[in-house]
Amino acid sequence: MALYPEHESLRAQSNDGRHSLHRLNRWLIIFPPLAFLVVFFLVPFAFAFKISFAQTAVHIPPFTDLVTHYSDGELGISLNFGNYAYLFTDNVYFISYLYSIKTAFFATIGCLLLGYPMAYAIARSSKATQNILLLIIVLPFWTSFLLRVYALESIIREGGLLNNVLLWLGVIKQPLQIMRTSFAVYLGIIYSYLPFMILPLFATLEKLDHTLLEASADLGMPPWKSFLAITLPLSIPGIIAGSMLVFIPAIGEFVIPSLLGGPDNLMIGRVLWDEFFSNHDWPVASAVATMILILLAGPIALYQYYNVKDMEQ
Amino acid sequence: MTQGRFNLSFTILLLGIAFLYIPMLVLIGYSFNGSPLASVWGGFSTQWYGTLFHNRQILEAGLLSLQIALVASTGAILLGLLAAVSLVRFRRFPGRLLLTGMVNAPLVMPEIITGITQLLLFVSMVQLFGWPHRGFTTIVISHIVFCSAYATVTIQSRLIGADRSLEEAARDLGATPVRAFIEVTLPLIMPALASSWLLSFMLSLDDIVISSFVSGPSASTLPMVIYSKVKLGVSPEINALGTLIILTMGTGIVLAGIWMKKNERQRLIDIQMAEQ
């Protein structure tokens, strides 16, 4: 919306020659995506922020207006900080907030530990094999996320394949309780987000200058030392990009903890969902959303910084 | 030594791939299980596919989801194309950083946040303008937002790689900028457009969280029906549905990949022929 005046002024200039006409064409291309995303992606955050200061009300939509029009033409604004205060009085928000950070953190570490060697192996393969391996890694992401989480559930549940195989092999005497534990949630996140970790890692590892490794080998450095001294530090941009691509969405994850986790595995996304769909408390849900955004501001800024730097190169 | 570490990472690669694929293969296997109990193998049967095709709720939700995905993915690549051209071709314009941020943020933004904020926008818009009512329109708009982010990034990287000199040659020969772009560059970036359309289609077809927020009580998309069935416990027809979706998408992607590779090779051959 803020861009509209510019658009107007360009139209006014457009009759003075070819240059301006060209500039107008430019704005015909830039304006639609910019305006669409501002209106439907950016502005919504302002509305959520606004409604987090409203009060619950029994009408449609279920919250009060912040601005009251008095009969004498004056405007009154009532901000309700109660929703935020409420988040601090009830323990459940704080606990789920911490639990979300913990879960996203461990799942990201798990993804990194599994994804790094995988990306490393792909980067070391021949060009033709690389393409096939990358397709294999990306393919699950192109199918269905929801169905994959469901498929994972059918393996790890009590009467599922994993327990049956382990019982049959005699490794365990009783079925393992994996479902409805934190481990199941970690596993679900790692399973769903693994491709997001591997792709940026592969991109940096592939660009790695192999002459550096050869030089260090020539100088008698053992491979593990070369790895720690050269490969690992040079792949840090990939590690950060991949970790952010897993960590940020994992914080707000709803489907995985709700299908694989138990009542104790209360992540903040589930709390928001319940607040919204079960309690119909839209203002508190908005306040929770704002708190999640504050938590994610740092990681998102970090991710954007690396992204912009990468694109400008 | 080096060989040893290579083998370790390669072993982990194979295990990781097994980890990614075994659950899906098991799902496909279960879909042919004659017994409704997941822990018992009741012999090979296709009965759940029959049940699936008689389930009105699933069929209606599936049709709605397909319609949404068609409109949303088409909208997403059009918007993504404009955004990608803006970011690649115009080095400087006011709002460039903002646009870069807005096409990258939906890729990582938790869906639950995008969902609730967009719903609050739609509700406020209805109060102010009386539009858009929750349902098909709002779901399509929300899907276009996050799908266009994926489309922009895909098209952008292809556009950076596209040779600009051909387009400039067309301009020198008197083509208008728009015509030069459509006739020269558009065919070059077609694979990116095709793959982002396909990806957007799938992402839209699969979305549960955002759709749940922005849809009204009248519209239930396929993932919403799947989720509520799965939440209630094992339902064998979901295995059959999952198998159909996974196999259709899987073959679609592989075929599209082969088609693009073939196209690419043909293009290289054409270039070589032209140079001779």
Side-chain angles (χ1 to χ4, degrees), chain A residues 26 30 36 40 44 47 61 120 136 139-140 142-145 150 157 159 191 223 248 254 258 269 273 276 286 304 307, chain B residues 5 19-21 23 38-39 79 86 90 92-93 101 108 112 117-120 123-124 195 202 206 212 227 231 239 253:
Chain A
R26 222 169 88 135
I30 300 168
F36 189 86
F40 293 113
F47 276 93
Y120 188 82
I136 291 174
L139 197 57
W142 285 71
T143 59
S144 166
F145 165 74
Y150 169 64
R157 71 169 154 245
Y191 178 63
I248 302 169
F254 164 74
S258 122
W273 181 282
F276 189 86
S286 305
Q304 294 276 21
N307 231 329
Chain B
R5 204 176 60 238
F19 172 58
L20 285 176
Y21 280 85
S39 46
L79 210 64
S86 307
F90 309 135
R92 256 174 238 283
F93 61 87
V108 288
I112 201 145
T117 55
Q118 284 178 336
L119 168 73
L120 295 174
V123 168
S124 306
S195 64
M202 188 58 224
D206 192 38
S212 300
Y227 176 79
K231 201 63 190 153
N239 291 336
I253 303 302

Short mmCIF file of all heavy atoms in Angstrom, two decimals, chain A residues 26 30 36 40 44 47 61 120 136 139-140 142-145 150 157 159 191 223 248 254 258 269 273 276 286 304 307, chain B residues 5 19-21 23 38-39 79 86 90 92-93 101 108 112 117-120 123-124 195 202 206 212 227 231 239 253:
data_model
loop_
_atom_site.label_atom_id
_atom_site.label_comp_id
_atom_site.label_asym_id
_atom_site.label_seq_id
_atom_site.Cartn_x
_atom_site.Cartn_y
_atom_site.Cartn_z
N ARG A 26 8.77 -1.37 -16.04
CA ARG A 26 9.46 -2.00 -14.94
C ARG A 26 8.53 -2.16 -13.75
O ARG A 26 8.47 -3.21 -13.13
CB ARG A 26 10.61 -1.06 -14.55
CG ARG A 26 11.88 -1.74 -14.25
CD ARG A 26 12.95 -0.70 -14.17
NE ARG A 26 13.01 -0.20 -12.82
CZ ARG A 26 14.15 -0.02 -12.17
NH1 ARG A 26 15.29 -0.27 -12.78
NH2 ARG A 26 14.16 0.43 -10.94
N ILE A 30 7.32 -5.24 -11.35
CA ILE A 30 7.65 -5.30 -9.92
C ILE A 30 6.41 -5.19 -9.04
O ILE A 30 6.30 -5.88 -8.03
CB ILE A 30 8.64 -4.17 -9.55
CG1 ILE A 30 9.93 -4.33 -10.36
CG2 ILE A 30 8.95 -4.18 -8.07
CD1 ILE A 30 10.84 -3.13 -10.29
N PHE A 36 1.15 -7.81 -3.79
CA PHE A 36 0.46 -9.01 -3.32
C PHE A 36 1.06 -9.51 -2.01
O PHE A 36 0.35 -9.81 -1.05
CB PHE A 36 0.53 -10.10 -4.39
CG PHE A 36 -0.31 -11.30 -4.10
CD1 PHE A 36 -1.65 -11.34 -4.47
CD2 PHE A 36 0.22 -12.41 -3.45
CE1 PHE A 36 -2.44 -12.45 -4.20
CE2 PHE A 36 -0.56 -13.52 -3.18
CZ PHE A 36 -1.89 -13.54 -3.56
N PHE A 40 -0.80 -9.60 1.53
CA PHE A 40 -1.21 -10.90 2.05
C PHE A 40 -0.15 -11.62 2.88
O PHE A 40 -0.40 -12.69 3.41
CB PHE A 40 -1.69 -11.81 0.92
CG PHE A 40 -2.95 -11.32 0.29
CD1 PHE A 40 -2.96 -10.86 -1.02
CD2 PHE A 40 -4.13 -11.29 1.01
CE1 PHE A 40 -4.13 -10.40 -1.60
CE2 PHE A 40 -5.30 -10.83 0.43
CZ PHE A 40 -5.30 -10.38 -0.87
N PRO A 44 -0.71 -8.92 7.29
CA PRO A 44 -1.33 -9.80 8.29
C PRO A 44 -0.63 -9.78 9.65
O PRO A 44 -1.29 -9.89 10.68
CB PRO A 44 -1.23 -11.18 7.65
CG PRO A 44 -1.30 -10.92 6.21
CD PRO A 44 -0.59 -9.62 5.99
N PHE A 47 -2.01 -7.06 11.68
CA PHE A 47 -3.33 -7.37 12.21
C PHE A 47 -3.23 -8.30 13.41
O PHE A 47 -3.93 -8.11 14.40
CB PHE A 47 -4.21 -8.00 11.13
CG PHE A 47 -4.87 -6.98 10.26
CD1 PHE A 47 -4.29 -6.56 9.08
CD2 PHE A 47 -6.08 -6.40 10.66
CE1 PHE A 47 -4.89 -5.59 8.30
CE2 PHE A 47 -6.68 -5.44 9.88
CZ PHE A 47 -6.08 -5.03 8.69
N PRO A 61 -16.27 -11.27 14.33
CA PRO A 61 -15.23 -12.15 14.86
C PRO A 61 -15.10 -12.02 16.38
O PRO A 61 -15.44 -10.97 16.92
CB PRO A 61 -13.97 -11.65 14.16
CG PRO A 61 -14.24 -10.22 13.82
CD PRO A 61 -15.71 -10.14 13.58
N TYR A 120 28.01 -34.88 2.47
CA TYR A 120 29.43 -35.07 2.19
C TYR A 120 29.62 -36.18 1.16
O TYR A 120 30.36 -36.04 0.18
CB TYR A 120 30.13 -35.42 3.51
CG TYR A 120 31.63 -35.46 3.44
CD1 TYR A 120 32.37 -34.28 3.53
CD2 TYR A 120 32.31 -36.67 3.31
CE1 TYR A 120 33.75 -34.31 3.49
CE2 TYR A 120 33.69 -36.70 3.26
CZ TYR A 120 34.41 -35.53 3.35
OH TYR A 120 35.77 -35.56 3.30
N ILE A 136 16.86 -38.52 -5.37
CA ILE A 136 16.37 -39.45 -4.35
C ILE A 136 16.11 -38.73 -3.02
O ILE A 136 15.14 -39.00 -2.34
CB ILE A 136 17.39 -40.61 -4.14
CG1 ILE A 136 17.42 -41.49 -5.39
CG2 ILE A 136 17.07 -41.43 -2.91
CD1 ILE A 136 18.47 -42.57 -5.37
N LEU A 139 12.98 -36.23 -3.60
CA LEU A 139 11.72 -36.86 -3.98
C LEU A 139 10.70 -36.96 -2.83
O LEU A 139 9.54 -36.60 -3.02
CB LEU A 139 11.99 -38.24 -4.60
CG LEU A 139 10.86 -38.86 -5.41
CD1 LEU A 139 10.43 -37.95 -6.55
CD2 LEU A 139 11.27 -40.21 -5.97
N PRO A 140 11.11 -37.41 -1.63
CA PRO A 140 10.11 -37.50 -0.55
C PRO A 140 9.47 -36.15 -0.24
O PRO A 140 8.29 -36.07 0.06
CB PRO A 140 10.93 -37.98 0.66
CG PRO A 140 12.11 -38.63 0.09
CD PRO A 140 12.42 -37.92 -1.19
N TRP A 142 8.75 -33.94 -2.30
CA TRP A 142 7.77 -33.65 -3.35
C TRP A 142 6.51 -34.48 -3.20
O TRP A 142 5.55 -34.28 -3.92
CB TRP A 142 8.38 -33.92 -4.73
CG TRP A 142 9.36 -32.89 -5.17
CD1 TRP A 142 10.59 -32.69 -4.66
CD2 TRP A 142 9.19 -31.92 -6.20
NE1 TRP A 142 11.19 -31.66 -5.32
CE2 TRP A 142 10.36 -31.17 -6.28
CE3 TRP A 142 8.15 -31.63 -7.09
CZ2 TRP A 142 10.54 -30.14 -7.18
CZ3 TRP A 142 8.32 -30.61 -7.99
CH2 TRP A 142 9.51 -29.87 -8.03
N THR A 143 6.53 -35.48 -2.34
CA THR A 143 5.30 -36.22 -2.12
C THR A 143 4.58 -35.52 -0.96
O THR A 143 4.63 -34.32 -0.89
CB THR A 143 5.58 -37.69 -1.84
OG1 THR A 143 6.40 -37.77 -0.69
CG2 THR A 143 6.25 -38.37 -3.00
N SER A 144 3.93 -36.23 -0.10
CA SER A 144 3.11 -35.54 0.89
C SER A 144 3.72 -35.57 2.29
O SER A 144 4.07 -36.62 2.79
CB SER A 144 1.73 -36.19 0.92
OG SER A 144 1.04 -35.77 2.05
N PHE A 145 3.84 -34.38 2.88
CA PHE A 145 4.38 -34.25 4.23
C PHE A 145 3.48 -34.96 5.25
O PHE A 145 3.94 -35.78 6.03
CB PHE A 145 4.50 -32.75 4.55
CG PHE A 145 4.70 -32.42 5.99
CD1 PHE A 145 5.91 -32.65 6.60
CD2 PHE A 145 3.66 -31.87 6.73
CE1 PHE A 145 6.10 -32.33 7.93
CE2 PHE A 145 3.84 -31.56 8.06
CZ PHE A 145 5.05 -31.79 8.66
N TYR A 150 2.36 -39.70 8.80
CA TYR A 150 1.45 -40.82 9.09
C TYR A 150 2.15 -42.16 8.84
O TYR A 150 2.00 -43.11 9.62
CB TYR A 150 0.19 -40.67 8.23
CG TYR A 150 -0.71 -41.87 8.24
CD1 TYR A 150 -1.33 -42.30 9.41
CD2 TYR A 150 -0.94 -42.59 7.07
CE1 TYR A 150 -2.14 -43.40 9.42
CE2 TYR A 150 -1.76 -43.70 7.06
CZ TYR A 150 -2.36 -44.10 8.25
OH TYR A 150 -3.17 -45.20 8.24
N ARG A 157 4.63 -47.19 15.88
CA ARG A 157 3.62 -47.42 16.93
C ARG A 157 3.77 -48.81 17.55
O ARG A 157 4.50 -49.65 17.02
CB ARG A 157 2.21 -47.18 16.39
CG ARG A 157 1.75 -48.23 15.43
CD ARG A 157 0.28 -48.09 15.13
NE ARG A 157 0.05 -48.66 13.82
CZ ARG A 157 -0.35 -47.96 12.76
NH1 ARG A 157 -0.59 -46.68 12.85
NH2 ARG A 157 -0.51 -48.55 11.61
N GLY A 159 2.15 -51.62 17.85
CA GLY A 159 2.01 -52.83 17.03
C GLY A 159 2.60 -52.64 15.65
O GLY A 159 2.26 -53.36 14.73
N TYR A 191 12.94 -36.76 10.16
CA TYR A 191 12.44 -37.46 8.99
C TYR A 191 11.85 -36.47 7.96
O TYR A 191 12.11 -36.57 6.77
CB TYR A 191 11.37 -38.46 9.44
CG TYR A 191 10.72 -39.23 8.33
CD1 TYR A 191 11.46 -40.08 7.53
CD2 TYR A 191 9.35 -39.11 8.09
CE1 TYR A 191 10.86 -40.79 6.51
CE2 TYR A 191 8.75 -39.82 7.08
CZ TYR A 191 9.50 -40.66 6.29
OH TYR A 191 8.92 -41.35 5.27
N PRO A 223 43.77 -37.10 7.43
CA PRO A 223 42.50 -36.64 6.86
C PRO A 223 41.53 -36.06 7.88
O PRO A 223 40.87 -35.07 7.60
CB PRO A 223 41.93 -37.92 6.24
CG PRO A 223 43.10 -38.78 5.97
CD PRO A 223 44.10 -38.45 7.03
N ILE A 248 13.79 -23.14 12.38
CA ILE A 248 12.71 -22.15 12.40
C ILE A 248 11.32 -22.79 12.21
O ILE A 248 10.44 -22.59 13.03
CB ILE A 248 12.95 -21.02 11.38
CG1 ILE A 248 14.29 -20.32 11.67
CG2 ILE A 248 11.83 -20.00 11.42
CD1 ILE A 248 14.76 -19.39 10.58
N PHE A 254 3.28 -28.13 14.16
CA PHE A 254 2.04 -28.57 14.79
C PHE A 254 1.72 -30.03 14.47
O PHE A 254 1.42 -30.81 15.37
CB PHE A 254 0.87 -27.68 14.35
CG PHE A 254 -0.46 -28.29 14.63
CD1 PHE A 254 -0.95 -28.32 15.93
CD2 PHE A 254 -1.20 -28.88 13.63
CE1 PHE A 254 -2.16 -28.92 16.20
CE2 PHE A 254 -2.41 -29.49 13.90
CZ PHE A 254 -2.90 -29.51 15.19
N SER A 258 1.53 -33.28 17.19
CA SER A 258 0.15 -33.68 17.46
C SER A 258 -0.11 -35.12 17.00
O SER A 258 -0.94 -35.80 17.60
CB SER A 258 -0.80 -32.68 16.82
OG SER A 258 -1.66 -33.28 15.93
N GLY A 269 3.27 -24.51 19.02
CA GLY A 269 2.36 -24.52 17.89
C GLY A 269 1.04 -25.21 18.24
O GLY A 269 -0.04 -24.79 17.83
N TRP A 273 -2.70 -23.62 18.44
CA TRP A 273 -3.81 -24.29 17.73
C TRP A 273 -5.01 -24.51 18.67
O TRP A 273 -6.15 -24.20 18.33
CB TRP A 273 -3.30 -25.62 17.18
CG TRP A 273 -4.29 -26.42 16.42
CD1 TRP A 273 -5.30 -27.19 16.92
CD2 TRP A 273 -4.37 -26.54 14.99
NE1 TRP A 273 -6.00 -27.79 15.91
CE2 TRP A 273 -5.45 -27.41 14.71
CE3 TRP A 273 -3.64 -26.01 13.94
CZ2 TRP A 273 -5.81 -27.76 13.41
CZ3 TRP A 273 -3.99 -26.37 12.64
CH2 TRP A 273 -5.07 -27.22 12.39
N PHE A 276 -6.79 -21.44 19.69
CA PHE A 276 -7.58 -20.90 18.59
C PHE A 276 -8.81 -21.76 18.30
O PHE A 276 -9.93 -21.27 18.25
CB PHE A 276 -6.71 -20.80 17.33
CG PHE A 276 -7.38 -20.07 16.22
CD1 PHE A 276 -7.32 -18.68 16.15
CD2 PHE A 276 -8.09 -20.76 15.26
CE1 PHE A 276 -7.95 -18.01 15.14
CE2 PHE A 276 -8.73 -20.08 14.24
CZ PHE A 276 -8.66 -18.70 14.19
N SER A 286 -3.29 -14.80 19.20
CA SER A 286 -2.47 -13.78 18.53
C SER A 286 -1.26 -13.40 19.37
O SER A 286 -0.16 -13.18 18.84
CB SER A 286 -3.29 -12.52 18.25
OG SER A 286 -4.44 -12.84 17.54
N GLN A 304 18.00 -14.81 6.64
CA GLN A 304 17.85 -13.82 5.55
C GLN A 304 19.20 -13.21 5.19
O GLN A 304 19.51 -13.01 4.02
CB GLN A 304 16.89 -12.70 5.98
CG GLN A 304 15.47 -13.14 6.18
CD GLN A 304 14.68 -13.18 4.89
OE1 GLN A 304 15.24 -13.23 3.81
NE2 GLN A 304 13.37 -13.15 4.99
N ASN A 307 21.13 -15.59 3.15
CA ASN A 307 20.45 -15.73 1.87
C ASN A 307 20.74 -14.58 0.93
O ASN A 307 21.06 -14.76 -0.23
CB ASN A 307 18.95 -15.78 2.13
CG ASN A 307 18.34 -16.96 1.46
OD1 ASN A 307 18.82 -17.37 0.41
ND2 ASN A 307 17.31 -17.50 2.05
N ARG B 5 37.04 -42.97 5.30
CA ARG B 5 36.04 -41.99 5.71
C ARG B 5 34.96 -41.87 4.64
O ARG B 5 33.79 -41.71 4.94
CB ARG B 5 36.68 -40.64 5.98
CG ARG B 5 35.83 -39.82 6.92
CD ARG B 5 36.48 -38.51 7.27
NE ARG B 5 36.72 -37.70 6.12
CZ ARG B 5 37.91 -37.25 5.77
NH1 ARG B 5 38.96 -37.54 6.49
NH2 ARG B 5 38.05 -36.49 4.71
N PHE B 19 16.08 -44.70 5.64
CA PHE B 19 15.24 -44.05 6.65
C PHE B 19 14.16 -43.22 5.96
O PHE B 19 13.00 -43.19 6.40
CB PHE B 19 16.15 -43.19 7.53
CG PHE B 19 15.44 -42.29 8.51
CD1 PHE B 19 14.57 -42.81 9.46
CD2 PHE B 19 15.68 -40.93 8.51
CE1 PHE B 19 13.94 -41.98 10.37
CE2 PHE B 19 15.05 -40.09 9.42
CZ PHE B 19 14.17 -40.62 10.35
N LEU B 20 14.52 -42.53 4.87
CA LEU B 20 13.54 -41.70 4.17
C LEU B 20 12.49 -42.53 3.44
O LEU B 20 11.34 -42.12 3.33
CB LEU B 20 14.25 -40.79 3.15
CG LEU B 20 15.02 -39.59 3.68
CD1 LEU B 20 15.73 -38.87 2.55
CD2 LEU B 20 14.10 -38.63 4.42
N TYR B 21 12.90 -43.70 2.93
CA TYR B 21 11.98 -44.43 2.05
C TYR B 21 11.20 -45.56 2.70
O TYR B 21 10.10 -45.88 2.25
CB TYR B 21 12.75 -44.95 0.82
CG TYR B 21 12.93 -43.85 -0.20
CD1 TYR B 21 13.99 -42.95 -0.10
CD2 TYR B 21 12.02 -43.66 -1.22
CE1 TYR B 21 14.15 -41.91 -1.00
CE2 TYR B 21 12.14 -42.63 -2.13
CZ TYR B 21 13.22 -41.76 -2.01
OH TYR B 21 13.34 -40.74 -2.90
N PRO B 23 9.44 -45.92 5.53
CA PRO B 23 8.06 -45.66 5.95
C PRO B 23 7.08 -45.58 4.77
O PRO B 23 5.97 -46.11 4.85
CB PRO B 23 8.16 -44.31 6.67
CG PRO B 23 9.54 -44.26 7.17
CD PRO B 23 10.37 -44.94 6.11
N ALA B 38 -3.51 -52.97 11.61
CA ALA B 38 -2.21 -52.72 11.02
C ALA B 38 -1.19 -53.77 11.42
O ALA B 38 -0.25 -54.04 10.69
CB ALA B 38 -1.72 -51.34 11.43
N SER B 39 -1.39 -54.39 12.61
CA SER B 39 -0.37 -55.32 13.11
C SER B 39 -0.53 -56.73 12.55
O SER B 39 0.32 -57.57 12.73
CB SER B 39 -0.40 -55.35 14.64
OG SER B 39 -1.73 -55.46 15.08
N LEU B 79 3.08 -15.10 -10.41
CA LEU B 79 3.63 -14.14 -9.46
C LEU B 79 5.13 -14.38 -9.26
O LEU B 79 5.91 -13.42 -9.17
CB LEU B 79 2.88 -14.30 -8.13
CG LEU B 79 2.74 -13.06 -7.28
CD1 LEU B 79 1.90 -12.02 -8.00
CD2 LEU B 79 2.10 -13.40 -5.95
N SER B 86 11.92 -9.33 -11.55
CA SER B 86 12.23 -8.10 -10.83
C SER B 86 13.57 -8.20 -10.12
O SER B 86 14.40 -7.30 -10.21
CB SER B 86 11.16 -7.79 -9.78
OG SER B 86 9.89 -7.81 -10.36
N PHE B 90 16.32 -6.23 -12.47
CA PHE B 90 16.37 -4.84 -12.00
C PHE B 90 17.23 -4.80 -10.74
O PHE B 90 16.79 -5.20 -9.67
CB PHE B 90 14.97 -4.30 -11.72
CG PHE B 90 14.01 -4.51 -12.87
CD1 PHE B 90 12.73 -4.97 -12.63
CD2 PHE B 90 14.40 -4.25 -14.18
CE1 PHE B 90 11.85 -5.19 -13.69
CE2 PHE B 90 13.53 -4.46 -15.24
CZ PHE B 90 12.25 -4.93 -14.99
N ARG B 92 18.37 -2.30 -9.05
CA ARG B 92 18.05 -1.29 -8.05
C ARG B 92 16.63 -0.81 -8.21
O ARG B 92 16.26 -0.34 -9.29
CB ARG B 92 18.96 -0.07 -8.24
CG ARG B 92 20.06 0.04 -7.25
CD ARG B 92 20.96 1.19 -7.66
NE ARG B 92 22.32 0.71 -7.86
CZ ARG B 92 23.15 0.43 -6.86
NH1 ARG B 92 22.75 0.60 -5.62
NH2 ARG B 92 24.36 0.01 -7.10
N PHE B 93 15.83 -0.96 -7.19
CA PHE B 93 14.52 -0.30 -7.16
C PHE B 93 14.07 -0.21 -5.72
O PHE B 93 14.48 -1.04 -4.89
CB PHE B 93 13.50 -1.05 -8.04
CG PHE B 93 13.22 -2.46 -7.64
CD1 PHE B 93 12.25 -2.76 -6.69
CD2 PHE B 93 13.91 -3.52 -8.22
CE1 PHE B 93 11.99 -4.07 -6.33
CE2 PHE B 93 13.66 -4.83 -7.86
CZ PHE B 93 12.70 -5.11 -6.92
N GLY B 101 13.17 -10.15 1.02
CA GLY B 101 12.78 -10.69 2.32
C GLY B 101 11.46 -11.43 2.24
O GLY B 101 11.32 -12.51 2.78
N VAL B 108 10.63 -20.32 5.48
CA VAL B 108 10.96 -20.80 6.82
C VAL B 108 9.88 -20.48 7.86
O VAL B 108 9.86 -21.08 8.91
CB VAL B 108 12.30 -20.21 7.34
CG1 VAL B 108 13.46 -20.83 6.60
CG2 VAL B 108 12.33 -18.71 7.24
N ILE B 112 1.94 -22.23 11.11
CA ILE B 112 0.92 -21.86 12.08
C ILE B 112 0.85 -20.33 12.23
O ILE B 112 -0.21 -19.76 12.42
CB ILE B 112 1.21 -22.59 13.42
CG1 ILE B 112 -0.02 -22.67 14.27
CG2 ILE B 112 2.36 -21.99 14.18
CD1 ILE B 112 -0.12 -23.92 15.07
N THR B 117 -2.10 -15.35 11.10
CA THR B 117 -2.04 -13.93 10.71
C THR B 117 -2.90 -13.69 9.48
O THR B 117 -3.63 -12.70 9.41
CB THR B 117 -0.59 -13.48 10.43
OG1 THR B 117 -0.01 -14.34 9.46
CG2 THR B 117 0.25 -13.48 11.68
N GLN B 118 -2.85 -14.61 8.50
CA GLN B 118 -3.66 -14.40 7.30
C GLN B 118 -5.15 -14.48 7.61
O GLN B 118 -5.94 -13.71 7.08
CB GLN B 118 -3.28 -15.42 6.22
CG GLN B 118 -1.96 -15.04 5.57
CD GLN B 118 -1.50 -16.04 4.53
OE1 GLN B 118 -1.89 -17.20 4.57
NE2 GLN B 118 -0.69 -15.60 3.61
N LEU B 119 -5.52 -15.38 8.51
CA LEU B 119 -6.93 -15.47 8.88
C LEU B 119 -7.39 -14.13 9.48
O LEU B 119 -8.45 -13.62 9.13
CB LEU B 119 -7.17 -16.57 9.91
CG LEU B 119 -8.57 -16.48 10.50
CD1 LEU B 119 -9.60 -16.92 9.49
CD2 LEU B 119 -8.70 -17.25 11.78
N LEU B 120 -6.56 -13.57 10.37
CA LEU B 120 -6.95 -12.32 11.02
C LEU B 120 -7.08 -11.20 9.98
O LEU B 120 -7.96 -10.34 10.08
CB LEU B 120 -5.94 -11.94 12.11
CG LEU B 120 -5.90 -12.94 13.28
CD1 LEU B 120 -4.78 -12.61 14.24
CD2 LEU B 120 -7.23 -13.00 14.00
N VAL B 123 -10.42 -11.81 8.10
CA VAL B 123 -11.57 -11.45 8.93
C VAL B 123 -11.73 -9.93 8.98
O VAL B 123 -12.83 -9.39 8.85
CB VAL B 123 -11.41 -12.05 10.34
CG1 VAL B 123 -12.41 -11.46 11.30
CG2 VAL B 123 -11.56 -13.56 10.29
N SER B 124 -10.60 -9.23 9.14
CA SER B 124 -10.67 -7.78 9.19
C SER B 124 -11.09 -7.20 7.83
O SER B 124 -11.82 -6.20 7.78
CB SER B 124 -9.32 -7.20 9.58
OG SER B 124 -8.88 -7.78 10.78
N SER B 195 8.79 -27.05 -13.20
CA SER B 195 9.03 -27.72 -11.93
C SER B 195 8.44 -26.92 -10.77
O SER B 195 7.94 -27.50 -9.82
CB SER B 195 10.51 -28.01 -11.71
OG SER B 195 11.23 -26.82 -11.61
N MET B 202 1.85 -29.59 -5.60
CA MET B 202 1.96 -30.56 -4.53
C MET B 202 1.88 -29.91 -3.15
O MET B 202 1.19 -30.41 -2.26
CB MET B 202 3.30 -31.31 -4.68
CG MET B 202 3.43 -32.48 -3.73
SD MET B 202 2.10 -33.65 -3.96
CE MET B 202 1.66 -34.00 -2.26
N ASP B 206 -1.06 -30.53 -0.33
CA ASP B 206 -0.62 -31.17 0.90
C ASP B 206 -0.84 -30.31 2.14
O ASP B 206 -0.77 -30.79 3.25
CB ASP B 206 0.88 -31.49 0.76
CG ASP B 206 1.37 -32.40 1.86
OD1 ASP B 206 0.61 -33.30 2.24
OD2 ASP B 206 2.49 -32.20 2.35
N SER B 212 -6.39 -25.01 7.39
CA SER B 212 -7.30 -25.14 8.53
C SER B 212 -7.67 -23.78 9.10
O SER B 212 -8.80 -23.57 9.51
CB SER B 212 -6.66 -25.97 9.64
OG SER B 212 -6.35 -27.24 9.17
N TYR B 227 -6.21 -35.71 8.01
CA TYR B 227 -5.73 -35.46 9.38
C TYR B 227 -6.76 -35.92 10.41
O TYR B 227 -6.42 -36.60 11.37
CB TYR B 227 -5.41 -33.97 9.55
CG TYR B 227 -5.01 -33.61 10.95
CD1 TYR B 227 -3.71 -33.86 11.40
CD2 TYR B 227 -5.91 -33.04 11.84
CE1 TYR B 227 -3.34 -33.55 12.69
CE2 TYR B 227 -5.54 -32.72 13.12
CZ TYR B 227 -4.26 -32.98 13.55
OH TYR B 227 -3.90 -32.68 14.83
N LYS B 231 -6.09 -38.90 13.03
CA LYS B 231 -6.14 -38.54 14.45
C LYS B 231 -7.04 -39.52 15.22
O LYS B 231 -6.79 -39.81 16.38
CB LYS B 231 -6.70 -37.11 14.52
CG LYS B 231 -6.41 -36.32 15.76
CD LYS B 231 -4.96 -36.03 16.01
CE LYS B 231 -4.81 -35.46 17.40
NZ LYS B 231 -3.54 -35.68 18.01
N ASN B 239 -4.32 -45.45 3.94
CA ASN B 239 -3.14 -46.10 3.34
C ASN B 239 -3.28 -46.16 1.83
O ASN B 239 -2.34 -45.89 1.09
CB ASN B 239 -2.99 -47.52 3.88
CG ASN B 239 -2.61 -47.55 5.35
OD1 ASN B 239 -2.04 -46.58 5.85
ND2 ASN B 239 -2.92 -48.63 6.03
N ILE B 253 7.11 -36.68 -10.86
CA ILE B 253 8.37 -35.97 -10.71
C ILE B 253 9.47 -36.62 -11.53
O ILE B 253 10.23 -35.96 -12.23
CB ILE B 253 8.83 -35.94 -9.23
CG1 ILE B 253 7.76 -35.31 -8.35
CG2 ILE B 253 10.15 -35.23 -9.06
CD1 ILE B 253 7.38 -33.93 -8.71
#
